[in-house]
Amino acid sequence: MDAKILLDKSRNVGAVDSRLYGSFIEHLGRAIYGGIYEPTHATADGDGFRTDVIELVRELNVPLVRYPGGNFVSGFRWEDSVGPVEKRPTRLDLAWRTSEPNTIGIGEFAKWCEKANTAPMMAVNLGTRGIESAMDLLEYCNQPNGSYLSDLRVSRGAKAPFDIRVWCLGNEMDGPWQVGHKTATEYGRLAAETAKAMKLFDPTLELVSCGSSSPGMPTFPDWEGETLTHTYDYVDYISLHQYFSKKPEDGGDFLASTVELDRFITTVAGICDEIKAKKQSDKTINISFDEWNVWYHSNAGDDAAMAERPWRFAPPLLEDVYTMEDALVAGLAIMTLIRHCDRVKIACLAQLVNVIAPIMTATGGGICRQSIFYPFLHASKFGRGYSLLPTVECQKLNTKSYSDVPSIESAAVVNDEQGELTVFIVNRDITNKQNLTLELGDLVGYSGCTHIKMSHSDLNAVNTVALPDTVKPGQTTLPLSGGSISVTLDAASWNVLRFGR
Ligand code: AHR
């Protein structure tokens, strides 16, 4: 069966918030030390930041970066990370069993964000700490001057406030692995009171309450219902996390597994609306999908060693080397987020550098764009505008655990300002090419089409610092006739069709 995609202006989901293309950097492994910061590196600038990393982050055009964790934040004392560097204490981070010298802290990260053309999304510690430390951090970061903590910041050289707009109220507080893990009621109360205090300081802040760490959590979805009962009036978003992994003998499940992301978002949006109805509220809670990615290559090695690990500084952890197949799953996930842009306003690819990341560095050496870099790059570059829900007619696939999975998935974004239409497509079929007709329907006035495509004869092909260009996209042009185009999609391929005026 040949496949067809139909577009129709009336299937407009809404504007894509550019923060859908956010990311995440945690004090974990070589994300900070050996990642963004390596003062002895040949490309390091005066602040010790690797400019080769900054260049690739700028290329990805990431509007915000969640920081400083992750699990790390639940034991973090922010005061350790500000002030004269030589006086900062070295602490033991229990989340990743590493030694943290605090050389890079809040101020340095804010400076890095400016250089990388992005903004911090700050998480406060609701694991071992609470309302007071969140309030203090907020005052230190956002108050211009005239108070003890803001004057302290100014005295340390940061005259202008960091003006951080989006704040996460803890991290994965539903997870038993979290330092300071809480029940839904305990967390809901603490998050509500913290949020209330933060909004007393500045009602225009955007606050994110922790949702479930994955749809597989035993407390999902009761966690959302119970915590929102407490936090609803004070927060703006509920945070969701999901990682995709390939199991041995997976029977095709890995490529199909993003259907669960779709279900996760729909379920949580429904719960938000249920609480809204119960509270007879006018306010809508949206979703901050602030950790998503493929993560499995490094798991076995890292976990096995966890209990016996010595305390190390910036050891290589969670350094997944991503395959062509992983890039398809990343592409499928991004398209799902775009199709849900009416509820998902913020999303963070977890993470950005070295740790389950699109950018990989060698300490003292080169850098590479991993395979997953490309779908994220294309979405960030071309996925800004409003999202149209494509109608897809295609064959369905059955895998070990999923049935009736569309062999073709798509998302479409119209950017009227630029006069552009972009259609993202994945062919999930790993064996067969597919002939596709794309009909533009009432989207008229486009004159040509560029087809960006990425596939590889080996689904396990990867990029490394030594061989950085094994998996990368190519480009051709396609004729547009009578409002439709015909294109052949390679088996297991990521495709971007770009129309201009
Ligand atoms: O991104 C890696 C870890 O995954 C984060 O620290 C945590 O929030 C999640 O479990």
Side-chain angles (χ1 to χ4, degrees):
M1 172 193 169
D2 286 350
K4 198 181 255 188
I5 295 179
L6 311 163
L7 296 181
D8 177 346
K9 269 186 187 166
S10 69
R11 286 169 60 82
N12 183 345
V13 187
V16 179
D17 191 317
S18 63
R19 297 173 303 174
L20 206 65
Y21 308 115
S23 189
F24 173 34
I25 291 184
E26 178 168 4
H27 282 255
L28 195 184
R30 294 190 312 121
I32 301 276
Y33 309 108
I36 65 167
Y37 178 76
E38 196 182 331
T40 54
H41 194 267
T43 71
D45 66 11
D47 292 310
F49 295 128
R50 279 184 71 151
T51 55
D52 57 347
V53 172
I54 288 176
E55 266 170 41
L56 290 198
V57 175
R58 289 180 80 102
E59 184 179 332
L60 287 175
N61 194 8
V62 178
L64 88 176
V65 179
R66 187 164 169 259
Y67 176 84
N71 297 340
F72 171 83
V73 79
S74 295
F76 179 52
R77 298 167 170 97
W78 70 266
E79 301 87 339
D80 294 344
S81 80
V82 296
V85 173
E86 62 286 358
K87 292 202 176 138
R88 295 184 194 173
T90 292
R91 295 281 189 185
L92 300 179
D93 163 40
L94 298 172
W96 303 105
R97 210 176 166 81
T98 51
S99 154
E100 171 56 59
N102 286 298
T103 314
I104 295 296
I106 308 284
E108 290 77 18
F109 188 71
K111 197 182 241 185
W112 179 84
C113 282
E114 258 179 50
K115 294 183 180 198
N117 193 27
T118 186
M121 171 185 187
M122 187 67 72
V124 301
N125 175 357
L126 293 190
T128 58
R129 306 190 81 184
I131 305 172
E132 188 176 78
S133 95
M135 287 308 305
D136 287 351
L137 177 58
L138 177 58
E139 180 187 319
Y140 186 88
C141 291
N142 282 14
Q143 175 68 14
N145 55 44
S147 70
Y148 173 68
L149 290 166
S150 58
D151 289 343
L152 201 61
R153 186 201 66 243
V154 172
S155 74
R156 288 163 176 170
K159 192 160 183 289
F162 305 141
D163 193 28
I164 298 169
R165 306 313 310 159
V166 189
W167 294 74
C168 302
L169 302 164
N171 174 70
E172 294 190 346
M173 299 308 299
D174 63 328
W177 58 86
Q178 202 69 216
V179 175
H181 161 61
K182 295 183 173 45
T183 65
T185 312
E186 287 165 350
Y187 173 73
R189 287 285 305 125
L190 177 60
E193 290 303 321
T194 307
K196 196 169 88 187
M198 293 175 81
K199 290 240 169 153
L200 285 172
F201 174 84
D202 179 355
T204 69
L205 295 176
E206 294 188 84
L207 303 181
V208 185
S209 175
C210 290
S212 290
S213 307
S214 91
M217 293 299 290
T219 46
F220 173 73
D222 297 340
W223 174 275
E224 277 72 10
E226 173 64 11
T227 57
L228 282 172
T229 302
H230 300 283
T231 59
Y232 202 92
D233 294 336
Y234 308 111
V235 305
D236 305 280
Y237 305 93
I238 186 149
S239 134
L240 300 182
H241 293 175
Q242 190 168 15
Y243 291 98
F244 301 93
S245 59
K246 184 171 180 174
K247 317 263 177 321
E249 318 287 326
D250 92 314
D253 280 355
F254 182 43
L255 278 173
S257 60
T258 52
V259 297
E260 288 182 14
L261 173 60
D262 194 85
R263 219 177 291 149
F264 194 18
I265 294 169
T266 310
T267 305
V268 173
I271 294 168
C272 292
D273 293 346
E274 185 193 345
I275 308 295
K276 176 180 183 173
K278 281 188 181 155
K279 289 193 176 279
Q280 302 190 17
S281 172
D282 290 334
K283 175 177 162 185
T284 298
I285 299 285
N286 285 315
I287 293 171
S288 169
F289 216 107
D290 46 42
E291 284 186 36
W292 69 269
N293 201 351
V294 171
W295 176 12
Y296 64 99
H297 296 280
S298 63
N299 276 355
D302 287 348
D303 289 351
M306 184 66 166
E308 300 101 52
R309 278 181 205 164
W311 295 97
R312 290 171 298 172
F313 165 66
L317 292 175
L318 279 62
E319 296 204 359
D320 284 41
V321 176
Y322 289 114
T323 65
M324 174 64 221
E325 189 177 19
D326 299 334
L328 296 177
V329 173
L332 286 159
I334 298 171
M335 292 193 300
T336 309
L337 297 171
I338 293 173
R339 290 196 301 264
H340 281 283
C341 72
D342 54 333
R343 288 314 282 263
V344 184
K345 302 292 177 185
I346 298 174
C348 302
L349 173 64
Q351 300 192 7
L352 190 52
V353 185
N354 289 338
V355 172
I356 42 173
I359 299 169
M360 185 70 98
T361 70
T363 302
I367 190 163
C368 82
R369 297 169 181 82
Q370 292 229 54
S371 62
I372 61 165
F373 185 97
Y374 294 106
F376 186 75
L377 170 74
H378 297 150
S380 174
K381 252 177 130 168
F382 309 130
R384 300 182 192 222
Y386 60 90
S387 164
L388 290 185
L389 210 55
T391 305
V392 182
E393 293 170 11
C394 65
Q395 268 177 337
K396 301 287 166 57
L397 305 171
N398 293 321
T399 70
K400 200 166 155 187
S401 317
Y402 305 95
S403 43
D404 280 337
V405 180
S407 59
I408 286 182
E409 269 205 32
S410 176
V413 177
V414 178
N415 186 327
D416 280 331
E417 268 169 39
Q418 308 285 333
E420 287 173 356
L421 160 68
T422 302
V423 185
F424 304 99
I425 307 164
V426 165
N427 178 10
R428 264 200 181 104
D429 190 324
I430 58 168
T431 335
N432 302 303
K433 290 182 175 196
Q434 299 210 52
N435 296 322
L436 171 82
T437 306
L438 169 68
E439 293 188 359
L440 300 190
D442 53 2
L443 292 151
V444 292
Y446 295 101
S447 57
C449 176
T450 304
H451 180 194
I452 302 171
K453 58 178 175 177
M454 192 168 90
S455 62
H456 199 283
S457 53
D458 177 6
L459 275 181
N460 291 315
V462 298
N463 294 338
T464 60
V465 171
L467 284 173
D469 292 324
T470 308
V471 182
K472 68 172 192 185
Q475 190 168 309
T476 54
T477 50
L478 294 171
L480 173 66
S481 72
S484 80
I485 60 150
S486 298
V487 57
T488 302
L489 307 175
D490 287 350
S493 58
W494 164 253
N495 304 270
V496 184
L497 297 174
R498 303 205 59 235
F499 300 86
R501 292 198 191 276

PDB file of all heavy atoms in Angstrom, residues 155-180:
ATOM      1  N   SER A 155      27.704  42.475  44.674  1.00  0.00           N
ATOM      2  CA  SER A 155      29.073  42.637  45.181  1.00  0.00           C
ATOM      3  C   SER A 155      30.020  41.610  44.573  1.00  0.00           C
ATOM      4  O   SER A 155      31.221  41.784  44.564  1.00  0.00           O
ATOM      5  CB  SER A 155      29.092  42.546  46.705  1.00  0.00           C
ATOM      6  OG  SER A 155      28.912  41.197  47.090  1.00  0.00           O
ATOM      7  N   ARG A 156      29.457  40.527  44.061  1.00  0.00           N
ATOM      8  CA  ARG A 156      30.290  39.483  43.441  1.00  0.00           C
ATOM      9  C   ARG A 156      30.387  39.656  41.929  1.00  0.00           C
ATOM     10  O   ARG A 156      30.751  38.750  41.199  1.00  0.00           O
ATOM     11  CB  ARG A 156      29.723  38.117  43.778  1.00  0.00           C
ATOM     12  CG  ARG A 156      29.970  37.780  45.241  1.00  0.00           C
ATOM     13  CD  ARG A 156      29.090  36.662  45.705  1.00  0.00           C
ATOM     14  NE  ARG A 156      29.406  36.287  47.079  1.00  0.00           N
ATOM     15  CZ  ARG A 156      28.671  35.468  47.798  1.00  0.00           C
ATOM     16  NH1 ARG A 156      27.596  34.922  47.282  1.00  0.00           N
ATOM     17  NH2 ARG A 156      29.026  35.172  49.023  1.00  0.00           N
ATOM     18  N   GLY A 157      29.981  40.827  41.459  1.00  0.00           N
ATOM     19  CA  GLY A 157      30.222  41.152  40.050  1.00  0.00           C
ATOM     20  C   GLY A 157      29.031  40.982  39.125  1.00  0.00           C
ATOM     21  O   GLY A 157      29.107  41.350  37.964  1.00  0.00           O
ATOM     22  N   ALA A 158      27.923  40.409  39.615  1.00  0.00           N
ATOM     23  CA  ALA A 158      26.766  40.236  38.723  1.00  0.00           C
ATOM     24  C   ALA A 158      25.769  41.353  39.007  1.00  0.00           C
ATOM     25  O   ALA A 158      24.824  41.192  39.788  1.00  0.00           O
ATOM     26  CB  ALA A 158      26.124  38.873  38.926  1.00  0.00           C
ATOM     27  N   LYS A 159      25.989  42.499  38.370  1.00  0.00           N
ATOM     28  CA  LYS A 159      25.171  43.680  38.649  1.00  0.00           C
ATOM     29  C   LYS A 159      23.713  43.438  38.246  1.00  0.00           C
ATOM     30  O   LYS A 159      22.791  43.706  39.002  1.00  0.00           O
ATOM     31  CB  LYS A 159      25.758  44.873  37.879  1.00  0.00           C
ATOM     32  CG  LYS A 159      25.196  46.199  38.303  1.00  0.00           C
ATOM     33  CD  LYS A 159      26.122  47.345  37.884  1.00  0.00           C
ATOM     34  CE  LYS A 159      25.605  48.684  38.356  1.00  0.00           C
ATOM     35  NZ  LYS A 159      24.411  49.142  37.650  1.00  0.00           N
ATOM     36  N   ALA A 160      23.536  42.925  37.036  1.00  0.00           N
ATOM     37  CA  ALA A 160      22.163  42.693  36.554  1.00  0.00           C
ATOM     38  C   ALA A 160      21.633  41.386  37.116  1.00  0.00           C
ATOM     39  O   ALA A 160      22.365  40.399  37.193  1.00  0.00           O
ATOM     40  CB  ALA A 160      22.162  42.631  35.040  1.00  0.00           C
ATOM     41  N   PRO A 161      20.369  41.375  37.526  1.00  0.00           N
ATOM     42  CA  PRO A 161      19.795  40.100  37.996  1.00  0.00           C
ATOM     43  C   PRO A 161      19.743  39.083  36.857  1.00  0.00           C
ATOM     44  O   PRO A 161      19.727  39.449  35.686  1.00  0.00           O
ATOM     45  CB  PRO A 161      18.386  40.501  38.447  1.00  0.00           C
ATOM     46  CG  PRO A 161      18.100  41.808  37.801  1.00  0.00           C
ATOM     47  CD  PRO A 161      19.409  42.482  37.550  1.00  0.00           C
ATOM     48  N   PHE A 162      19.710  37.811  37.214  1.00  0.00           N
ATOM     49  CA  PHE A 162      19.668  36.772  36.160  1.00  0.00           C
ATOM     50  C   PHE A 162      18.260  36.680  35.556  1.00  0.00           C
ATOM     51  O   PHE A 162      18.094  36.136  34.477  1.00  0.00           O
ATOM     52  CB  PHE A 162      20.099  35.418  36.739  1.00  0.00           C
ATOM     53  CG  PHE A 162      21.448  35.434  37.418  1.00  0.00           C
ATOM     54  CD1 PHE A 162      21.675  34.724  38.593  1.00  0.00           C
ATOM     55  CD2 PHE A 162      22.496  36.183  36.890  1.00  0.00           C
ATOM     56  CE1 PHE A 162      22.915  34.751  39.226  1.00  0.00           C
ATOM     57  CE2 PHE A 162      23.746  36.219  37.520  1.00  0.00           C
ATOM     58  CZ  PHE A 162      23.949  35.506  38.692  1.00  0.00           C
ATOM     59  N   ASP A 163      17.281  37.192  36.280  1.00  0.00           N
ATOM     60  CA  ASP A 163      15.900  37.255  35.787  1.00  0.00           C
ATOM     61  C   ASP A 163      15.427  35.915  35.219  1.00  0.00           C
ATOM     62  O   ASP A 163      15.021  35.810  34.062  1.00  0.00           O
ATOM     63  CB  ASP A 163      15.785  38.374  34.726  1.00  0.00           C
ATOM     64  CG  ASP A 163      14.330  38.691  34.413  1.00  0.00           C
ATOM     65  OD1 ASP A 163      13.476  38.498  35.312  1.00  0.00           O
ATOM     66  OD2 ASP A 163      14.037  39.096  33.278  1.00  0.00           O
ATOM     67  N   ILE A 164      15.474  34.897  36.059  1.00  0.00           N
ATOM     68  CA  ILE A 164      15.074  33.550  35.622  1.00  0.00           C
ATOM     69  C   ILE A 164      13.553  33.449  35.706  1.00  0.00           C
ATOM     70  O   ILE A 164      12.965  33.668  36.768  1.00  0.00           O
ATOM     71  CB  ILE A 164      15.777  32.494  36.500  1.00  0.00           C
ATOM     72  CG1 ILE A 164      17.302  32.634  36.291  1.00  0.00           C
ATOM     73  CG2 ILE A 164      15.289  31.088  36.166  1.00  0.00           C
ATOM     74  CD1 ILE A 164      18.136  31.853  37.263  1.00  0.00           C
ATOM     75  N   ARG A 165      12.929  33.121  34.596  1.00  0.00           N
ATOM     76  CA  ARG A 165      11.461  33.176  34.509  1.00  0.00           C
ATOM     77  C   ARG A 165      10.779  31.857  34.871  1.00  0.00           C
ATOM     78  O   ARG A 165       9.653  31.849  35.320  1.00  0.00           O
ATOM     79  CB  ARG A 165      11.007  33.577  33.085  1.00  0.00           C
ATOM     80  CG  ARG A 165      11.589  34.861  32.513  1.00  0.00           C
ATOM     81  CD  ARG A 165      11.562  36.035  33.450  1.00  0.00           C
ATOM     82  NE  ARG A 165      10.256  36.266  34.053  1.00  0.00           N
ATOM     83  CZ  ARG A 165      10.067  36.945  35.183  1.00  0.00           C
ATOM     84  NH1 ARG A 165      11.080  37.442  35.854  1.00  0.00           N
ATOM     85  NH2 ARG A 165       8.867  37.107  35.662  1.00  0.00           N
ATOM     86  N   VAL A 166      11.451  30.714  34.568  1.00  0.00           N
ATOM     87  CA  VAL A 166      10.785  29.420  34.791  1.00  0.00           C
ATOM     88  C   VAL A 166      11.527  28.638  35.881  1.00  0.00           C
ATOM     89  O   VAL A 166      12.754  28.474  35.806  1.00  0.00           O
ATOM     90  CB  VAL A 166      10.745  28.577  33.490  1.00  0.00           C
ATOM     91  CG1 VAL A 166       9.866  27.348  33.668  1.00  0.00           C
ATOM     92  CG2 VAL A 166      10.270  29.405  32.307  1.00  0.00           C
ATOM     93  N   TRP A 167      10.782  28.162  36.884  1.00  0.00           N
ATOM     94  CA  TRP A 167      11.375  27.475  38.040  1.00  0.00           C
ATOM     95  C   TRP A 167      10.704  26.120  38.259  1.00  0.00           C
ATOM     96  O   TRP A 167       9.474  26.028  38.281  1.00  0.00           O
ATOM     97  CB  TRP A 167      11.209  28.332  39.300  1.00  0.00           C
ATOM     98  CG  TRP A 167      11.992  29.614  39.248  1.00  0.00           C
ATOM     99  CD1 TRP A 167      11.714  30.733  38.519  1.00  0.00           C
ATOM    100  CD2 TRP A 167      13.222  29.898  39.946  1.00  0.00           C
ATOM    101  NE1 TRP A 167      12.680  31.687  38.728  1.00  0.00           N
ATOM    102  CE2 TRP A 167      13.612  31.217  39.600  1.00  0.00           C
ATOM    103  CE3 TRP A 167      14.019  29.170  40.851  1.00  0.00           C
ATOM    104  CZ2 TRP A 167      14.770  31.806  40.121  1.00  0.00           C
ATOM    105  CZ3 TRP A 167      15.160  29.761  41.371  1.00  0.00           C
ATOM    106  CH2 TRP A 167      15.531  31.067  40.995  1.00  0.00           C
ATOM    107  N   CYS A 168      11.535  25.095  38.461  1.00  0.00           N
ATOM    108  CA  CYS A 168      11.010  23.747  38.747  1.00  0.00           C
ATOM    109  C   CYS A 168      10.997  23.535  40.257  1.00  0.00           C
ATOM    110  O   CYS A 168      12.011  23.762  40.927  1.00  0.00           O
ATOM    111  CB  CYS A 168      11.915  22.680  38.140  1.00  0.00           C
ATOM    112  SG  CYS A 168      12.112  22.835  36.373  1.00  0.00           S
ATOM    113  N   LEU A 169       9.880  23.060  40.766  1.00  0.00           N
ATOM    114  CA  LEU A 169       9.735  22.833  42.211  1.00  0.00           C
ATOM    115  C   LEU A 169      10.209  21.416  42.531  1.00  0.00           C
ATOM    116  O   LEU A 169       9.418  20.494  42.693  1.00  0.00           O
ATOM    117  CB  LEU A 169       8.280  23.043  42.618  1.00  0.00           C
ATOM    118  CG  LEU A 169       7.740  24.452  42.280  1.00  0.00           C
ATOM    119  CD1 LEU A 169       6.219  24.485  42.333  1.00  0.00           C
ATOM    120  CD2 LEU A 169       8.330  25.482  43.232  1.00  0.00           C
ATOM    121  N   GLY A 170      11.535  21.258  42.568  1.00  0.00           N
ATOM    122  CA  GLY A 170      12.123  19.941  42.833  1.00  0.00           C
ATOM    123  C   GLY A 170      12.252  19.126  41.560  1.00  0.00           C
ATOM    124  O   GLY A 170      11.968  19.604  40.455  1.00  0.00           O
ATOM    125  N   ASN A 171      12.690  17.893  41.734  1.00  0.00           N
ATOM    126  CA  ASN A 171      12.887  16.985  40.605  1.00  0.00           C
ATOM    127  C   ASN A 171      12.423  15.575  40.971  1.00  0.00           C
ATOM    128  O   ASN A 171      12.807  15.050  42.023  1.00  0.00           O
ATOM    129  CB  ASN A 171      14.379  16.918  40.238  1.00  0.00           C
ATOM    130  CG  ASN A 171      14.664  15.880  39.165  1.00  0.00           C
ATOM    131  OD1 ASN A 171      14.279  16.059  38.009  1.00  0.00           O
ATOM    132  ND2 ASN A 171      15.309  14.777  39.532  1.00  0.00           N
ATOM    133  N   GLU A 172      11.611  14.987  40.131  1.00  0.00           N
ATOM    134  CA  GLU A 172      11.190  13.575  40.262  1.00  0.00           C
ATOM    135  C   GLU A 172      10.940  13.186  41.721  1.00  0.00           C
ATOM    136  O   GLU A 172      11.474  12.186  42.207  1.00  0.00           O
ATOM    137  CB  GLU A 172      12.233  12.650  39.623  1.00  0.00           C
ATOM    138  CG  GLU A 172      12.323  12.834  38.125  1.00  0.00           C
ATOM    139  CD  GLU A 172      13.154  11.783  37.389  1.00  0.00           C
ATOM    140  OE1 GLU A 172      13.895  11.029  38.048  1.00  0.00           O
ATOM    141  OE2 GLU A 172      13.050  11.719  36.153  1.00  0.00           O
ATOM    142  N   MET A 173      10.108  13.961  42.386  1.00  0.00           N
ATOM    143  CA  MET A 173       9.895  13.697  43.815  1.00  0.00           C
ATOM    144  C   MET A 173       9.062  12.433  44.059  1.00  0.00           C
ATOM    145  O   MET A 173       8.947  11.971  45.194  1.00  0.00           O
ATOM    146  CB  MET A 173       9.256  14.917  44.498  1.00  0.00           C
ATOM    147  CG  MET A 173      10.088  16.196  44.442  1.00  0.00           C
ATOM    148  SD  MET A 173      11.793  16.035  45.010  1.00  0.00           S
ATOM    149  CE  MET A 173      11.532  15.540  46.691  1.00  0.00           C
ATOM    150  N   ASP A 174       8.507  11.861  42.981  1.00  0.00           N
ATOM    151  CA  ASP A 174       7.769  10.589  43.106  1.00  0.00           C
ATOM    152  C   ASP A 174       8.712   9.387  43.123  1.00  0.00           C
ATOM    153  O   ASP A 174       8.285   8.270  43.379  1.00  0.00           O
ATOM    154  CB  ASP A 174       6.795  10.434  41.932  1.00  0.00           C
ATOM    155  CG  ASP A 174       7.516  10.364  40.586  1.00  0.00           C
ATOM    156  OD1 ASP A 174       8.595  11.012  40.438  1.00  0.00           O
ATOM    157  OD2 ASP A 174       7.040   9.664  39.675  1.00  0.00           O
ATOM    158  N   GLY A 175       9.989   9.598  42.840  1.00  0.00           N
ATOM    159  CA  GLY A 175      10.925   8.483  42.658  1.00  0.00           C
ATOM    160  C   GLY A 175      11.606   8.081  43.957  1.00  0.00           C
ATOM    161  O   GLY A 175      12.262   8.900  44.598  1.00  0.00           O
ATOM    162  N   PRO A 176      11.491   6.802  44.353  1.00  0.00           N
ATOM    163  CA  PRO A 176      12.155   6.337  45.580  1.00  0.00           C
ATOM    164  C   PRO A 176      13.669   6.548  45.547  1.00  0.00           C
ATOM    165  O   PRO A 176      14.309   6.572  46.593  1.00  0.00           O
ATOM    166  CB  PRO A 176      11.822   4.845  45.635  1.00  0.00           C
ATOM    167  CG  PRO A 176      10.643   4.665  44.748  1.00  0.00           C
ATOM    168  CD  PRO A 176      10.694   5.748  43.709  1.00  0.00           C
ATOM    169  N   TRP A 177      14.257   6.682  44.354  1.00  0.00           N
ATOM    170  CA  TRP A 177      15.710   6.908  44.244  1.00  0.00           C
ATOM    171  C   TRP A 177      16.098   8.342  44.619  1.00  0.00           C
ATOM    172  O   TRP A 177      17.260   8.636  44.831  1.00  0.00           O
ATOM    173  CB  TRP A 177      16.183   6.639  42.805  1.00  0.00           C
ATOM    174  CG  TRP A 177      15.483   7.503  41.795  1.00  0.00           C
ATOM    175  CD1 TRP A 177      15.825   8.763  41.410  1.00  0.00           C
ATOM    176  CD2 TRP A 177      14.302   7.181  41.086  1.00  0.00           C
ATOM    177  NE1 TRP A 177      14.923   9.248  40.504  1.00  0.00           N
ATOM    178  CE2 TRP A 177      13.974   8.295  40.274  1.00  0.00           C
ATOM    179  CE3 TRP A 177      13.467   6.039  41.038  1.00  0.00           C
ATOM    180  CZ2 TRP A 177      12.856   8.313  39.438  1.00  0.00           C
ATOM    181  CZ3 TRP A 177      12.365   6.069  40.204  1.00  0.00           C
ATOM    182  CH2 TRP A 177      12.071   7.195  39.420  1.00  0.00           C
ATOM    183  N   GLN A 178      15.096   9.212  44.715  1.00  0.00           N
ATOM    184  CA  GLN A 178      15.394  10.630  44.923  1.00  0.00           C
ATOM    185  C   GLN A 178      15.775  10.879  46.383  1.00  0.00           C
ATOM    186  O   GLN A 178      15.080  10.395  47.281  1.00  0.00           O
ATOM    187  CB  GLN A 178      14.136  11.452  44.575  1.00  0.00           C
ATOM    188  CG  GLN A 178      14.399  12.894  44.225  1.00  0.00           C
ATOM    189  CD  GLN A 178      15.125  13.008  42.900  1.00  0.00           C
ATOM    190  OE1 GLN A 178      15.951  13.870  42.748  1.00  0.00           O
ATOM    191  NE2 GLN A 178      14.841  12.120  41.966  1.00  0.00           N
ATOM    192  N   VAL A 179      16.828  11.629  46.608  1.00  0.00           N
ATOM    193  CA  VAL A 179      17.153  12.031  47.986  1.00  0.00           C
ATOM    194  C   VAL A 179      16.016  12.947  48.452  1.00  0.00           C
ATOM    195  O   VAL A 179      15.688  13.925  47.798  1.00  0.00           O
ATOM    196  CB  VAL A 179      18.511  12.774  48.030  1.00  0.00           C
ATOM    197  CG1 VAL A 179      18.783  13.299  49.438  1.00  0.00           C
ATOM    198  CG2 VAL A 179      19.648  11.869  47.571  1.00  0.00           C
ATOM    199  N   GLY A 180      15.381  12.565  49.552  1.00  0.00           N
ATOM    200  CA  GLY A 180      14.252  13.369  50.038  1.00  0.00           C
ATOM    201  C   GLY A 180      12.939  13.057  49.330  1.00  0.00           C
ATOM    202  O   GLY A 180      12.018  13.885  49.311  1.00  0.00           O
TER     203      GLY A 180
END
